[in-house]
């Protein structure tokens, strides 16, 4: 009889504590999917973009020995990985860090709400500690400092110090074990970057890349209004007594033309990001 009374009192006490919020209700254990506030926490994630410039195509991989849920990125579009700008994947406060035996020179960006991104192995920094950076702003230069066997961007997204599966433009990326299994083309720095220009000359060849031996993918019959999404250095072109080795990637024509055929006095177009 005494045991029955004790069990009854225990059940009543547990019920009262649950009503008071001191005991977790069934189904809402800590960390369980669907717990109250989980949807709000995920919705608070910034709209991250790729950590490299607009129009560039990179491949990436994940190594099981890596810390947290990092992905390592290298270029896959023929450009050099080393020396390429590293861009903030979302707005926030940047802090310079250094770990010569590990991450090398790196930047941490605090995006608020517990979210941070890490960018390891930088050749150099492009912003001071404490700088407020915008999405798409250059924060460093890709390198191989620290414990690294070659130039790449080691990139992480963390929430409250815990590594998260990386998402870009709202979509989660796969985690391949080798390069050249998955690819990502950046749209970071495109919005508000680039610009509208007009070409000059006739029968201007649009090439697949910024080199004279690249295949021709289009032809501009005469002066044409074009939108340039990014620019990079390539083959040197001479015309009308001028030379130029900068090329513009055209949004609507599917390729590159030499900047020498852009009606602008500067060899490198102002306000246009680097590809």
């Amino acid at each position: 009889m005494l045991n029955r009374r004790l069990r009854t009192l225990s059940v009543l006490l547990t019920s009262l504590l649950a009503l008071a919020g001191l005991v977790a209700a069934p189904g809402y254990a800590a960390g369980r999917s669907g717990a109250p506030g989980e949807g709000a926490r995920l919705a608070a994630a910034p709209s991250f973009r790729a950590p490299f410039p607009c129009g560039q195509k990179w491949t990436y991989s994940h190594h099981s020995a890596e810390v947290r849920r990092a992905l390592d990125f290298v270029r896959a579009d023929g450009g050099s990985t080393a020396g390429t700008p590293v861009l903030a994947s979302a707005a926030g406060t940047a802090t310079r860090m250094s770990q010569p035996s590990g991450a090398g020179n790196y930047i941490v960006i605090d995006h608020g709400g517990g979210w941070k991104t890490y960018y390891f192995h930088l050749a150099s920094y492009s912003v001071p500690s404490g700088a407020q950076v915008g999405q798409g702003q250059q924060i460093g230069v890709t390198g191989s400092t620290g414990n690294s066997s070659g130039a790449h961007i080691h990139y992480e997204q963390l929430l409250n110090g815990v590594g998260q599966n990386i998402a870009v433009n709202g979509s989660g990326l796969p985690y391949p074990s080798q390069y050249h299994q998955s690819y990502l083309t950046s749209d970071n720095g495109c919005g508000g970057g680039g610009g509208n220009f007009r070409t000059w000359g006739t029968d201007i060849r649009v090439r697949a890349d910024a080199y004279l031996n690249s295949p021709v993918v289009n032809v501009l019959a005469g002066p044409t209004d074009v939108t340039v999404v990014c620019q990079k250095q390539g083959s040197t072109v001479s015309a009308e007594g001028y030379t130029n080795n900068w090329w513009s990637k055209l949004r609507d024509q599917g390729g590159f033309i030499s900047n020498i055929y852009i009606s602008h006095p500067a060899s490198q177009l102002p306000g246009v990001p680097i590809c």
Side-chain angles (χ1 to χ4, degrees):
M1 178 67 72
L2 179 61
N3 288 338
R4 289 181 61 188
R5 288 177 178 175
L6 290 174
R7 285 198 298 270
T8 301
L9 288 172
S10 177
V11 170
L12 289 173
L13 179 60
T14 300
S15 299
L16 290 171
L17 290 172
L19 288 173
L22 299 177
V23 175
Y28 292 158
R32 179 171 176 174
S33 178
E38 181 77 7
R41 177 180 69 79
L42 294 176
S47 180
F48 294 116
R49 292 187 174 178
F52 46 87
C54 174
Q56 291 185 1
K57 180 180 180 181
W58 293 51
T59 183
Y60 53 92
S61 69
H62 172 74
H63 304 290
S64 58
E66 289 277 22
V67 297
R68 295 177 288 270
R69 295 294 294 161
L71 285 174
D72 292 333
F73 289 85
V74 298
R75 289 192 71 167
D77 56 7
S80 173
T81 299
T84 295
V86 177
L87 308 186
S89 57
T93 303
T95 301
R96 292 185 181 189
M97 306 290 285
S98 180
Q99 186 186 50
S101 62
N105 301 324
Y106 69 103
I107 290 276
V108 179
I109 301 181
D110 188 337
H111 306 286
W115 286 95
K116 293 181 179 181
T117 48
Y118 286 8
Y119 312 75
F120 286 8
H121 308 304
L122 303 176
S124 60
Y125 306 105
S126 300
V127 294
S129 281
Q132 298 297 311
V133 298
Q135 186 176 64
Q137 181 175 339
Q138 181 173 337
I139 57 172
V141 176
T142 305
S144 187
T145 58
N147 185 13
S148 171
S149 59
H152 67 285
I153 302 173
H154 170 112
Y155 175 69
E156 301 179 36
Q157 295 174 357
L158 294 86
L159 176 61
N160 297 326
V162 179
Q164 305 294 301
N165 287 339
I166 291 172
V168 173
N169 293 333
S171 297
L173 298 185
Y175 274 72
S177 60
Q178 298 178 12
Y179 291 123
H180 301 292
Q181 293 180 341
S182 296
Y183 299 88
L184 178 65
T185 299
S186 176
D187 66 349
N188 199 1
C190 299
N196 298 317
F197 298 89
R198 188 167 180 80
T199 68
W200 65 272
T202 59
D203 297 325
I204 304 304
R205 296 175 181 179
V206 181
R207 298 186 179 273
D209 206 347
Y211 306 97
L212 290 171
N213 61 356
S214 298
V216 176
V217 296
N218 211 328
V219 176
L220 305 181
T224 305
D225 291 324
V226 295
T227 298
V228 177
V229 296
C230 61
Q231 60 186 330
K232 69 177 184 177
Q233 291 178 299
S235 296
T236 298
V237 176
S238 299
E240 300 290 328
Y242 297 94
T243 60
N244 197 343
N245 70 336
W246 283 93
W247 292 64
S248 290
K249 184 174 184 178
L250 307 184
R251 184 190 66 187
D252 303 317
Q253 287 76 23
F256 290 81
I257 64 169
S258 169
N259 280 9
I260 209 164
Y261 297 114
I262 300 287
S263 295
H264 193 282
S267 297
Q268 181 181 355
L269 301 177
V272 176
I274 306 299
C275 294

